[in-house]
Amino acid sequence: MLKLTRIAAVALIALALVLALVAVAVSRRAPQTAAAPLPQVAGQPRQWPVVEAAALLPAGRPIAVTDLRIGAAAQAPVGGYTTLAEATGAVPVRDIAAGTALESGLMAQGYSLRLNPGERALAVPVDELVAAGNRILPGDYVDVFLNLRAPSGMNTDGQAQARLLLSRLRVLSYGAADTAPGQAAARQPADGDRDSRAEDIQGGTSSSSTGNTPQAPVRSAVLAVPVADANRLLLGAQQGKLFLALRNPADVGLPDQALFAAAPAVLSPRRELTPEQRLTLASPENDAFAGIDADALAGRRGSRVPAPAATPAFAPTVRRTAPRLDRGVEIIRGDVSSHSGSR
């Protein structure tokens, strides 16, 4: 009898272990993204948590946590948000009324989310020579050097020049290579220790799961450029040739632009601006709107001259003249004296 009891206990333990393994396997196969339902109240249908707009959410403004609230829905949200943290920081593409359940389809998506505030995405032409031998990948940082050719013509005194145009720009994409925010650039596997950066963009090949496929030549790179420097990059690409110099991402050295004369703008500020308005002239957007021309880019014009102080409207014009000095000369002829004055 004791022997049978031991056998039964061992069998039960073995069965418990088998059931535990089955439970673990089923739990791993179950979807982990499904939201847990809210506690069910007797006599009422089951409710699921959803994130709703607590007030009107205007398009183009990032959502703050105070703009949200947790609501309930009869069905689990598809593509929706179940926690406030998931929706915080998202940017609506259109106005969202208060009480609307939020979902990813209402939010801005795509390439623009990779830009920081104050940055613009600009594409520049590249080839193997100007792009560090095709060693550039999305997420890298580059310096942009400008090579200006000497101007042609008889009455020009300019010379060819090369200099650092912009420093530490982030590469958003390089040719077809592209990455999502927060992800490292994907490197395709290659034979041996060969790096995909070393592929010849003019005719190299890269290995893939479907076999060797010719790699298309890279023609452009998209850079994240501060808005105030966009004019310099565009004009430099038109007037000369740009070279992208790859740099270590830990190198944060930047040139001190305050040591050099500022290039004059194309547009001059108005004369009747208030002191507060003149302070805003230095904002990146206003600086970019003022523009820059080819002579200023090449340094062939003087530094930017500050605008004159504001003049009151209808101010009378006062002419200041030097006081008249009547320094006469007395001439005595015999017993006759005469006085001659300068006028």
Side-chain angles (χ1 to χ4, degrees):
M1 188 69 179
L2 183 59
K3 186 176 181 179
L4 293 177
T5 304
R6 291 180 179 177
I7 294 175
V10 171
L12 291 176
I13 293 175
L15 180 61
L17 292 176
V18 172
L19 293 177
L21 293 176
V22 173
V24 171
V26 172
S27 63
R28 289 183 177 180
R29 294 182 180 179
Q32 300 296 328
T33 57
L38 296 174
Q40 187 176 4
V41 180
Q44 295 184 2
R46 177 171 295 181
Q47 299 290 317
W48 299 81
V50 294
V51 178
E52 298 177 346
L56 175 65
L57 303 179
R61 194 195 72 180
I63 298 176
V65 67
T66 55
D67 299 328
L68 306 173
R69 69 188 180 195
I70 295 294
Q75 296 181 350
V78 178
Y81 304 99
T82 58
T83 63
L84 300 181
E86 294 177 349
T88 301
V91 181
V93 295
R94 61 177 177 83
D95 292 345
I96 300 178
T100 304
L102 304 184
E103 58 182 32
S104 58
L106 299 175
M107 306 302 166
Q109 303 178 30
Y111 210 86
S112 60
L113 297 180
R114 310 178 193 188
L115 295 170
N116 297 322
E119 290 182 340
R120 303 295 185 267
L122 290 177
V124 295
V126 298
D127 55 31
E128 185 181 16
L129 177 62
V130 305
N134 195 32
R135 266 68 175 179
I136 298 177
L137 285 179
D140 287 338
Y141 287 86
V142 296
D143 288 345
V144 180
F145 285 83
L146 172 63
N147 181 15
L148 278 178
R149 306 175 185 89
S152 59
M154 298 297 295
N155 298 325
T156 57
D157 55 356
Q159 297 180 351
Q161 59 177 266
R163 73 172 192 271
L164 176 62
L165 182 64
L166 299 174
S167 188
R168 208 172 188 274
L169 298 184
R170 183 164 47 93
V171 180
L172 298 177
S173 66
Y174 185 77
D178 200 0
T179 57
Q183 295 182 357
R187 292 174 172 82
Q188 297 180 351
D191 299 334
D193 295 331
R194 184 180 60 182
D195 191 349
S196 61
R197 295 175 183 238
E199 295 290 343
D200 184 359
I201 66 174
Q202 299 299 333
T205 58
S206 60
S207 61
S208 62
S209 59
T210 58
N212 293 333
T213 304
Q215 183 180 359
V218 178
R219 301 301 183 191
S220 65
V222 180
L223 308 177
V225 186
V227 63
D229 298 327
N231 292 333
R232 293 168 176 81
L233 186 67
L234 296 176
L235 191 58
Q238 182 183 21
Q239 297 294 322
K241 193 170 186 179
L242 303 178
F243 290 82
L244 305 185
L246 189 62
R247 63 182 292 166
N248 191 308
D251 183 0
V252 295
L254 297 174
D256 188 356
Q257 300 184 15
L259 302 177
F260 307 92
V266 176
L267 301 179
S268 300
R270 297 172 56 182
R271 299 175 60 90
E272 63 274 12
L273 297 180
T274 63
E276 292 77 11
Q277 290 175 326
R278 292 188 174 277
L279 291 177
T280 63
L281 289 176
S283 67
E285 291 77 11
N286 288 330
D287 189 28
F289 188 81
I292 186 174
D293 58 18
D295 289 336
L297 180 68
R300 290 192 288 265
R301 289 171 54 183
S303 61
R304 184 177 301 174
V305 179
T311 304
F314 307 102
T317 303
V318 179
R319 290 187 177 182
R320 297 181 180 272
T321 58
R324 296 185 57 183
L325 300 177
D326 192 4
R327 297 180 179 178
V329 178
E330 184 177 3
I331 303 175
I332 301 176
R333 297 179 180 177
D335 55 353
V336 180
S337 174
S338 62
H339 186 275
S340 176
S342 59
R343 296 184 179 178

